[in-house]
Amino acid sequence: STVGRGAAPLAGGRDGGVLMLPRHFPGHGSSPSAGPSSSASASVSNSANFYLGLLVAQNTAKTLILRYAVSGKPEFLYSAAVLATESLKALLSVLWVLSHGGSLQGIVAFLLDEWRIFVRVLVPAGVYNCQQMLEFVALSRLDAPVYSVLVQSKLLTTALFSYFLLRKQLARKQIVALLLLLCGVALAQISQRKPVPAAAGGAGGSASTAALASRASAVEVESSHQRFVGVLATLIIATLSGFAAVYTEGVLKREGSAQHPDRHPHARGNHSLAYMQIQMALASLLLIGAFALVQDFAVIVEFGLWHGFNNAALVAVFSSALGGLIVSAVLKYADSVLKGYATALSVIFTGIISTLFFGSSVDIYFVIAVVFVACSVSMYNQKR
């Protein structure tokens, strides 16, 4: 990604964030005769639209692609998919550093000198691994639109963790937004309840009718169980997401970043994100590798690590890896308002695309849920 080159802060965001815009974007500092006000305004508008489009496309595509990859009964190991994703992230980040004047020796020296940071990022790396595994579990049991609504409950968990661990107070508008979110999640749950079809048959009934009714009841019970597992996995994802966000703010940011910044000038400024991604990816690989050896050892020995890996799984891996890096780069320059709008729009687009192209069925409860959640996310992230 090249969005980080020559960035300059233009606008403040909530909680001290800044909207950073790359100098090579059209209109940014390229027309001195237009006046600083009009030039900066055009740059903000163009760049904001670009970032917004990237975030919406990534959020929407990731959910739909993962849903497609795990539809049916996938045979690939979820741990193998996470391993492949993190390996690709590490490789792409290393290539980025090398292509911008860095070296392998410099990367190794940075990792050795900053081992304390590596230890601290093991916690969010482990949490992120769990989230990725649970995404496969949830999307194999829930339609993409339902998942995209339910997972927004991470707003609530982040707010709760922030309040209890960081003692952060919520604005009145944010409290209203969280109440809207709860209503939207509840409506999405109601929309998932499907009545058991009545068995056809005469008044006296018959053995075949009773058998059909029994089979339909068993299918409905199993379907309800699978939906419950999907919803539970999604809520755990939301909880882990909230904890990771608060941990990152409370531990990593407050304790500082590099311990030896003067030794690694290349790892500062516009290149710092790539070095951080390498650290996170390596920490994730260490943890998910250990998990795979313990949990899936027998399957790996018998069938191999990449057993059942099909084209859909490969697309999901590339989407998650590339998308994760894109989002990390974009969020460095997007403020909270832009992120809120992107999330809200991605929820809407996920529902529309999934209904049109993947046969997902929605009812009035779900439509209202999408409206509530989209409004909640936008309202929560607005500047106070």
Side-chain angles (χ1 to χ4, degrees):
S1 173
T2 59
V3 296
R5 298 183 60 187
L10 291 183
R14 188 173 61 85
D15 296 332
V18 290
L19 179 60
M20 306 287 288
L21 299 180
R23 300 186 188 278
H24 64 270
F25 262 84
H28 183 54
S30 60
S31 179
S33 61
S37 176
S38 59
S39 176
S41 176
S43 176
V44 170
S45 176
N46 293 337
S47 300
N49 290 335
F50 176 77
Y51 294 142
L52 181 64
L54 273 182
L55 289 175
V56 171
Q58 164 54 24
N59 290 342
T60 304
K62 179 185 176 183
T63 302
L64 293 174
I65 290 173
L66 285 181
R67 169 60 181 167
Y68 174 74
V70 296
S71 59
K73 293 184 178 180
E75 297 182 357
F76 64 88
L77 295 174
Y78 295 161
S79 58
V82 178
L83 270 170
T85 299
E86 296 305 316
S87 298
L88 186 56
K89 282 184 183 178
L91 175 62
L92 292 174
S93 299
V94 169
L95 292 177
W96 165 266
V97 172
L98 296 180
S99 66
H100 287 76
S103 65
L104 289 176
Q105 294 85 348
I107 294 173
V108 173
F110 173 82
L111 294 174
L112 292 176
D113 282 343
E114 307 300 342
W115 64 269
R116 291 181 179 84
I117 298 179
F118 181 83
V119 172
R120 293 206 296 267
V121 302
L122 284 172
V123 174
V127 169
Y128 185 59
N129 283 342
C130 292
Q131 286 182 252
Q132 290 186 87
M133 297 279 288
L134 289 170
E135 283 176 353
F136 289 113
V137 175
L139 284 167
S140 65
R141 293 163 172 82
L142 297 175
D143 286 338
V146 176
Y147 170 82
S148 67
V149 169
L150 295 180
V151 80
Q152 300 311 320
S153 54
K154 62 188 177 183
L155 275 183
L156 177 60
T157 61
T158 303
L160 292 175
F161 279 118
S162 296
Y163 177 78
F164 288 109
L165 299 182
L166 302 181
R167 300 302 178 186
K168 278 194 171 184
Q169 301 295 322
L170 294 175
R172 184 176 302 175
K173 182 184 295 185
Q174 290 177 312
I175 295 176
V176 174
L178 292 177
L179 292 176
L180 273 177
L181 176 67
L182 289 175
C183 292
V185 171
L187 287 170
Q189 279 289 87
I190 293 174
S191 73
Q192 283 291 285
R193 296 181 179 177
K194 298 178 175 61
V196 180
S206 65
S208 60
T209 301
L212 288 174
S214 177
R215 187 180 305 171
S217 178
V219 169
E220 175 60 23
V221 170
E222 176 62 20
S223 179
S224 298
H225 173 72
Q226 293 298 324
R227 287 198 298 271
F228 172 78
V229 172
V231 170
L232 181 61
T234 306
L235 295 179
I236 295 175
I237 290 172
T239 303
L240 292 175
S241 177
F243 171 76
V246 173
Y247 176 88
T248 300
E249 180 176 355
V251 177
L252 297 184
K253 289 184 179 179
R254 291 188 178 183
E255 291 186 10
S257 53
Q259 300 297 314
H260 307 285
D262 296 334
R263 299 184 190 176
H264 311 285
H266 191 264
R268 292 181 293 172
N270 295 327
H271 307 299
S272 61
L273 181 62
Y275 283 87
M276 182 186 69
Q277 288 292 344
I278 294 172
Q279 284 183 315
M280 284 290 293
L282 292 179
S284 296
L285 284 172
L286 177 65
L287 295 175
I288 195 61
F291 174 85
L293 287 176
V294 173
Q295 181 68 24
D296 301 320
F297 181 77
V299 178
I300 293 173
V301 169
E302 183 175 359
F303 300 104
L305 179 62
W306 309 113
H307 171 71
F309 237 73
N310 52 19
N311 292 333
L314 288 174
V315 172
V317 166
F318 276 94
S319 171
S320 296
L322 292 173
L325 295 177
I326 290 172
V327 169
S328 296
V330 170
L331 292 187
K332 186 177 181 180
Y333 306 103
D335 65 358
S336 58
V337 178
L338 196 66
K339 289 183 283 185
Y341 286 143
T343 302
L345 288 174
S346 67
V347 171
I348 296 172
F349 280 119
T350 298
I352 294 174
I353 296 174
S354 187
T355 301
L356 293 178
F357 297 101
F358 297 98
S360 299
S361 58
V362 297
D363 55 17
I364 187 61
Y365 293 109
F366 183 78
V367 173
I368 298 175
V370 169
V371 174
F372 277 17
V373 170
C375 293
S376 170
V377 173
S378 298
M379 185 184 301
Y380 186 88
N381 288 283
Q382 286 177 0
K383 298 176 183 179
R384 299 180 184 182

